[in-house]
Amino acid sequence: MDPNISHNPHNRAILVKLLGELDEEVLTQILEKGKAIELDTGSFLFHQGDLDNSIYIVLSGRFRALATQSDGHLHALGDIGEGEPIGEFALFMGEPRSASVVAIRKSVVLELKENEYLEIVAKFPAFSTKLTRFVVNRLRRNVLQQHLEAPAKNIAVINLQSENDISEYTDAIKAQFESLNVSIQILDHDSHAEMELQQVYDALEQHEGLNFLVCNDEDLDWSRRCIIYADLVVLASDFYADSKIHEIERHLDLYSQNILNKKIYLLLLHPEEAKFPENTRRWFEDRKIDLHIHYRKHHGPDIRRFARILSNKAIGLVLGGGGAKGFAHLGVIKSLYDNGVEIDFLGGTSAGALYGLTASFCDFDRKMIDFYSHDSASSKLTKNDFTIPLISIMSGKKMTNYLKKMMGNTHLEDFWVGSYCVSTNYSNASAKVHERGLAWKQIEASIAIPGIYPPVVIDKELHVDGGVVDNLPIETMYNYPVQHIIAISLTQLRSQPVDFDETPSASKLLLSKITGKKKFRIPGIASILVNSLTLNSRQKQEMTKSGVELYLELDLKGIGMLDDTRWREIVQKGYDQMKNALENFPEEKRFW
């Protein structure tokens, strides 16, 4: 890095990106008054409870915020990357630091003490306005934006089968980034291992795009340097290879419990026209993996998905519950793909789990989705399934057998696209997120409507419909590297008054149906049960939808919870309403 920080164009660009356009004189004052501080890996910038009220701006490197919370344990709150401020609230509020901040690789910050800040503001009031505006905007950020970390700049790559040539995979990724005007720099053992540490560091920080540091199992010193410099570690492996822990993983101590550990993505490489993955779970034994990604050679959607994931620009689709209305989710998905929106992660509750994960299981193939739509409706899964009503009205056997027949021994981690569903753990009164395990079993738990279907036993605990606690699981999607969330609700949040003063008797309702005069518009027993159970989670839905880029509440009036005979109509309604939402989405906000 240029020792004269005020004349370094990179530093000036950082300030402009953070604060917006400023006069050159103001930029020079900020950089000259401030102090550049270099921190090695593991060095703390400050600790929780400190009274220091300086503000810091990350000029290069990466930090992690840590805080001891009410349970007495130290928790990682998130990573802070290049171009982001640290500690701005302490400057304005004068309060103790709410968290500790540690460098997770060699980093440089610009420090501005309170008196230096005031001196600059006295000469250039515009600086105060710009910084205040930034702080206000940060406070206004929705929940997703608060969770979204800065994308990784330095990515260490470890090929677990170093004898295998994976250039066809990596060349495709490089070409994808170049098509997005993202510059790629590759630093490998042959070209950079002999360089001095500072030379390697300078090469990384002076490059404005992504840096890929290629580890080498024959030179562990170089590989350790790659890990130290990295923001993210990608393990690449032939999916069909032996899944045992390799020597390079042990030597680099990738899975130890350490606050400085980098996130690890497991990239599982498949051949062209690969069959559906089986037994992905073997790769998780003895490994601590933050995310696994299936990648088929020359498969465009997989290449584009991986590029979006690495750049924190992935798209997540969240689907809500609502019985047979869930057929509309299939129409939504078909409409998204017809309009060029590819799904990188999918999550759902109840009907959102059933129909959404079916589409994900089909790899969003239209013909397969159409087949299962017709086949499931023809199977009349909610008809003639009554049982002795001790714990539920229906036995659930028809649905379970159908899911078993469709998905067999497939686990959620085998799906080509990362998918999850949510149930309610009845045994400990909490939400349960299912990201791994037998797919049919996890879906069965998510759709087990209390009173209608029996609870599902998983790990000796009872699980019921996820809609009891979270009918539209948006918050769970924050845990994935997504920048854009699309959420589809099947339940309308607005008030729905009735046109009668007293609830009609059963005989009046029966007479109304016999005569064909629909005098009373009142929901059936299934709708009342489900909607009553999900009232609390509907309030949560109202609060969390602010973190969504595109929120669509489908209008499915007149369609009952068990009305699967109208599946074609329901699918079409979902398709048409999603198409209309996309067409009317502001041009300047489009992310596809």
Side-chain angles (χ1 to χ4, degrees):
M1 178 180 165
D2 189 338
N4 189 347
I5 65 168
S6 65
H7 292 98
N8 189 320
H10 171 80
N11 298 337
R12 300 176 91 82
I14 288 286
L15 290 181
V16 170
K17 183 179 178 181
L18 175 66
L19 301 168
E21 290 298 328
L22 285 168
D23 291 341
E24 284 296 314
E25 193 177 358
V26 184
L27 291 175
T28 301
Q29 277 287 305
I30 296 170
L31 292 168
E32 287 183 349
K33 289 284 185 185
K35 177 184 177 184
I37 301 176
E38 290 192 6
L39 295 100
D40 290 324
T41 303
S43 298
F44 278 82
L45 187 60
F46 52 74
H47 291 84
Q48 187 174 2
D50 285 356
L51 296 176
D52 164 59
N53 59 353
S54 299
I55 182 174
Y56 303 90
I57 298 169
V58 183
L59 298 179
S60 66
R62 198 171 184 90
F63 292 83
R64 181 162 295 159
L66 310 163
T68 302
Q69 298 185 341
S70 55
D71 60 4
H73 293 103
L74 190 66
H75 293 262
L77 305 181
D79 290 359
I80 305 158
E82 183 180 281
E84 294 189 283
I86 302 175
E88 69 274 16
F89 290 108
L91 177 67
F92 290 106
M93 306 301 293
E95 296 178 351
R97 301 289 189 186
S98 59
S100 301
V101 174
V102 61
I104 61 172
R105 65 176 174 88
K106 187 174 180 179
S107 305
V108 180
V109 295
L110 179 71
E111 179 191 38
L112 271 179
K113 296 184 179 296
E114 183 180 19
N115 64 307
E116 294 164 343
Y117 165 77
L118 294 174
E119 285 178 25
I120 297 171
V121 169
K123 292 180 67 176
F124 305 101
F127 175 48
S128 175
T129 304
K130 295 275 189 180
L131 188 57
T132 304
R133 185 176 296 146
F134 173 84
V135 173
V136 170
N137 287 336
R138 172 170 276 194
L139 289 170
R140 286 177 175 170
R141 291 193 308 182
N142 64 42
V143 184
L144 171 61
Q145 291 168 332
Q146 292 169 12
H147 282 76
L148 190 65
E149 294 181 351
K153 177 181 173 69
N154 300 339
I155 301 168
V157 180
I158 303 173
N159 180 6
L160 292 183
Q161 295 82 37
S162 57
E163 69 278 6
N164 291 353
D165 180 8
I166 61 172
S167 60
E168 288 189 82
Y169 295 92
T170 56
D171 288 348
I173 295 167
K174 184 178 180 182
Q176 178 61 27
F177 276 116
E178 287 174 348
S179 73
L180 300 172
N181 295 318
V182 177
S183 175
I184 299 294
Q185 178 178 221
I186 297 175
L187 293 81
D188 58 22
H189 172 268
D190 293 338
S191 61
H192 289 79
E194 299 304 318
M195 283 187 175
E196 296 293 330
L197 286 173
Q198 188 62 41
Q199 287 179 297
V200 176
Y201 177 73
D202 289 344
L204 294 171
E205 300 309 327
Q206 290 169 10
H207 181 242
E208 292 300 323
L210 287 176
N211 298 307
F212 285 89
L213 299 109
V214 183
C215 296
N216 186 300
D217 55 5
E218 294 182 0
D219 187 343
L220 293 175
D221 287 339
W222 163 253
S223 296
R224 288 190 189 95
R225 287 164 66 182
C226 291
I227 299 300
I228 288 171
Y229 288 133
D231 303 319
L232 172 70
V233 178
V234 173
L235 288 175
S237 177
D238 176 356
F239 179 74
Y240 297 103
D242 190 334
S243 60
K244 68 181 181 182
I245 297 291
H246 289 65
E247 282 302 310
I248 190 169
E249 295 175 89
R250 289 196 183 91
H251 284 303
L252 297 179
D253 199 21
L254 293 180
Y255 311 116
S256 63
Q257 294 295 321
N258 191 309
I259 60 171
L260 300 178
N261 280 359
K262 314 297 170 69
K263 284 189 175 180
I264 300 175
Y265 290 177
L266 175 62
L267 183 65
L268 297 167
L269 305 176
H270 297 258
E272 285 186 88
E273 307 300 328
K275 65 179 184 179
F276 202 95
E278 295 179 359
N279 197 21
T280 303
R281 59 192 178 279
R282 75 188 192 280
W283 285 100
F284 305 142
E285 293 178 12
D286 300 320
R287 288 185 175 92
K288 184 180 179 297
I289 301 297
D290 293 283
L291 186 70
H292 75 282
I293 303 156
H294 292 287
Y295 175 8
R296 288 159 284 187
K297 186 191 290 186
H298 299 152
H299 190 70
D302 289 358
I303 297 166
R304 293 189 290 273
R305 179 178 303 117
F306 186 52
R308 286 191 294 267
I309 288 172
L310 285 188
S311 55
N312 274 20
K313 293 181 179 178
I315 298 171
L317 177 65
V318 182
L319 305 173
K325 296 178 183 179
F327 274 108
H329 289 319
L330 301 178
V332 164
I333 288 168
K334 290 199 286 187
S335 184
L336 286 170
Y337 273 85
D338 283 353
N339 285 275
V341 183
E342 294 181 324
I343 298 164
D344 300 315
F345 299 98
L346 184 144
T349 291
S350 195
L354 177 61
Y355 296 96
L357 268 65
T358 294
S360 183
F361 171 74
C362 297
D363 198 21
F364 306 112
D365 179 83
R366 180 182 286 269
K367 287 184 180 179
M368 288 183 67
I369 290 173
D370 288 343
F371 169 78
Y372 283 118
S373 297
H374 178 269
D375 191 56
S376 62
S378 302
S379 300
K380 298 181 180 179
L381 301 176
T382 58
K383 303 292 191 297
N384 303 318
D385 189 38
F386 294 102
T387 187
I388 300 171
L390 296 177
I391 57 174
S392 62
I393 298 171
M394 297 183 184
S395 72
K397 288 182 180 178
K398 289 184 74 173
M399 180 66 76
T400 298
N401 290 336
Y402 187 84
L403 288 171
K404 281 184 179 180
K405 179 183 174 184
M406 176 171 58
M407 297 186 177
N409 197 42
T410 299
H411 283 53
L412 287 180
E413 56 267 38
D414 296 327
F415 283 25
W416 292 116
V417 173
S419 304
Y420 67 86
C421 63
V422 174
S423 72
T424 301
N425 186 318
Y426 181 85
S427 297
N428 63 23
S430 64
K432 168 64 178 177
V433 178
H434 305 267
E435 298 173 296
R436 298 179 183 177
L438 273 171
W440 68 262
K441 187 81 167 179
Q442 317 311 309
I443 295 171
E444 183 188 33
S446 187
I447 64 174
I449 304 170
I452 295 181
Y453 288 128
V456 175
V457 180
I458 297 177
D459 296 331
K460 295 188 177 181
E461 293 182 324
L462 296 177
H463 293 74
V464 297
D465 193 294
V468 174
V469 291
D470 196 353
N471 202 39
L472 190 64
I474 294 169
E475 283 188 333
T476 304
M477 190 60 79
Y478 300 156
N479 298 324
Y480 293 84
V482 298
Q483 186 171 31
H484 312 287
I485 295 178
I486 301 169
I488 310 298
S489 173
L490 303 177
T491 56
Q492 296 180 329
L493 297 175
R494 57 180 177 272
S495 174
Q496 301 180 59
V498 296
D499 56 0
F500 43 82
D501 297 320
E502 293 185 8
T503 304
S505 64
S507 58
K508 284 185 179 180
L509 288 171
L510 187 60
L511 182 62
S512 175
K513 287 191 176 182
I514 293 171
T515 59
K517 297 177 181 177
K518 300 224 173 172
K519 185 176 178 183
F520 304 104
R521 296 180 61 83
I522 188 169
I525 185 171
S527 294
I528 290 173
L529 257 176
V530 173
N531 287 328
S532 298
L533 289 168
T534 59
L535 282 175
N536 184 57
S537 71
R538 287 168 70 188
Q539 297 303 314
K540 181 179 182 180
Q541 177 179 324
E542 182 66 42
M543 292 185 288
T544 56
K545 70 180 186 181
S546 68
V548 167
E549 196 97 13
L550 198 166
Y551 174 80
L552 180 59
E553 203 172 277
L554 294 178
D555 183 357
L556 300 169
K557 287 179 185 174
I559 296 173
M561 300 291 291
L562 304 177
D563 228 348
D564 52 8
T565 57
R566 299 168 64 185
W567 69 271
R568 285 188 179 86
E569 175 191 350
I570 302 170
V571 171
Q572 192 61 47
K573 282 180 178 289
Y575 185 96
D576 292 341
Q577 291 180 46
M578 187 75 251
K579 181 174 182 248
N580 183 63
L582 293 172
E583 288 174 348
N584 290 290
F585 198 78
E587 187 72 35
E588 67 277 7
K589 293 183 179 180
R590 293 197 176 188
F591 50 89
W592 64 93

